Amino acid sequence: VLTPGAALKGNLEVSGDRDWIAVDLTAGTLYRMSVDGARNGGGTQPAPIIFLRNAEGNLEARQDFEFMRSDPEYYFRPATSGTWYMDIWSFDPSEGTRPAGTYTARLEEFPGLADIGQTRATAGSIAVNTPITGLIESPRDKDFFAVELSAGVRYVVDLEGVSTDKGTLPDPDVMVFDSAGTRLPGQFYFDSVDEAVRPNNDRGEGKNSRFEFTAETDGTYYLEAGRYSPAFDDYDPRVGTYTLTIAEVPVEIVAGT
């Protein structure tokens, strides 16, 4: 049994071996399950995989091993309390083999992180100059936040992750919408090198996302926090925590005015 905050070392002793690890989870609480092998320094296993199974042993969730770019992690918020199982095995798609090797399994819980809605109707709330933390739980997860802004005021929105140690999200992507749900202009640019239209997701420090704009009207605006994936690959495991901030841009005072 693996408990929250603990790590368990294991070994897939032969090719094709599988280990099932029981985890007792509480309904509504967010958990992160991970398996570190050779890529993350948790063991010698070169290609670990996680399947999540329910109390009956039926498959609840999986990651497509053909697209894994790092040791696997999986975020899960159970609807009911009970026992679940981490089904740990291996597969190397480049070799077509199921290699043996050691690994470290971990279970973390995030009891304070609410499940933020993905639409304006289910949006959370954020205040100007008050940072908020959140989590992108799955590749296509989006967190919507409503904020009240004043006409004529210039604002800057920052979505930060790994680059500034403000979370574990490697490549944050933020978008801003008006009260009608229309994306504000200026959030995309033309990449002359690749001749492609791309979002302004790297205008912050490192891979962080930043957007600066002036509110045209008083009212509610919406911030969409997510992660950038150039191929919109559902199996790209780059998810994690973030810090979202919207702040007023200081007005420059010109001497003599």
Side-chain angles (χ1 to χ4, degrees), residues 3-230:
T3 58
L8 181 65
K9 293 186 179 297
N11 186 14
L12 299 177
E13 299 177 10
V14 296
S15 176
D17 192 13
R18 301 179 90 120
D19 288 350
W20 281 32
I21 300 175
V23 291
D24 292 325
L25 307 181
T26 302
T29 299
L30 182 66
Y31 296 90
R32 175 182 179 266
M33 305 172 191
S34 62
V35 177
D36 292 335
R39 284 173 289 198
N40 287 353
T44 61
Q45 175 54 244
I49 301 293
I50 302 174
F51 280 6
L52 178 63
R53 297 184 181 274
N54 60 25
E56 289 73 39
N58 298 321
L59 185 63
E60 183 74 21
R62 56 168 284 177
Q63 290 173 308
D64 195 310
F65 42 80
E66 294 182 7
F67 295 92
M68 293 299 295
R69 296 181 174 89
S70 63
D71 284 342
E73 62 177 4
Y74 184 72
Y75 288 90
F76 180 60
R77 194 187 300 269
T80 59
S81 300
T83 300
W84 304 76
Y85 296 94
M86 295 172 62
D87 176 8
I88 300 172
W89 56 293
S90 66
F91 183 74
D92 185 342
S94 63
E95 301 291 337
T97 60
R98 295 180 57 186
T102 59
Y103 62 85
T104 302
R106 292 183 170 86
L107 177 67
E108 301 171 71
E109 64 178 349
F110 303 88
L113 284 181
D115 187 11
I116 304 299
Q118 300 190 47
T119 67
R120 288 179 293 147
T122 59
S125 61
I126 186 173
V128 175
N129 298 320
T130 304
I132 194 168
T133 58
L135 172 72
I136 300 304
E137 302 180 23
S138 61
R140 292 208 173 195
D141 186 23
K142 302 287 186 182
D143 288 353
F144 262 73
F145 294 90
V147 61
E148 299 299 318
L149 303 181
S150 301
V153 177
R154 192 154 185 84
Y155 298 92
V156 58
V157 180
D158 283 295
L159 185 63
E160 300 176 271
V162 169
S163 294
T164 46
D165 294 325
K166 293 295 183 65
T168 60
L169 191 62
D171 201 350
D173 186 21
V174 70
M175 289 287 174
V176 182
F177 300 81
D178 64 19
S179 59
T182 302
R183 184 184 290 114
L184 299 191
Q187 298 185 75
F188 288 85
Y189 73 99
F190 182 75
D191 188 332
S192 59
V193 176
D194 295 333
E195 295 187 348
V197 176
R198 304 193 184 284
N200 293 326
N201 68 304
D202 290 344
R203 288 197 168 183
E205 185 174 341
K207 288 290 186 179
N208 289 337
S209 185
R210 166 175 286 196
F211 180 61
E212 191 171 319
F213 67 100
T214 300
E216 294 188 356
T217 60
D218 292 338
T220 303
Y221 289 73
Y222 295 91
L223 313 181
E224 179 194 79
R227 57 132 214 178
Y228 178 65
S229 178

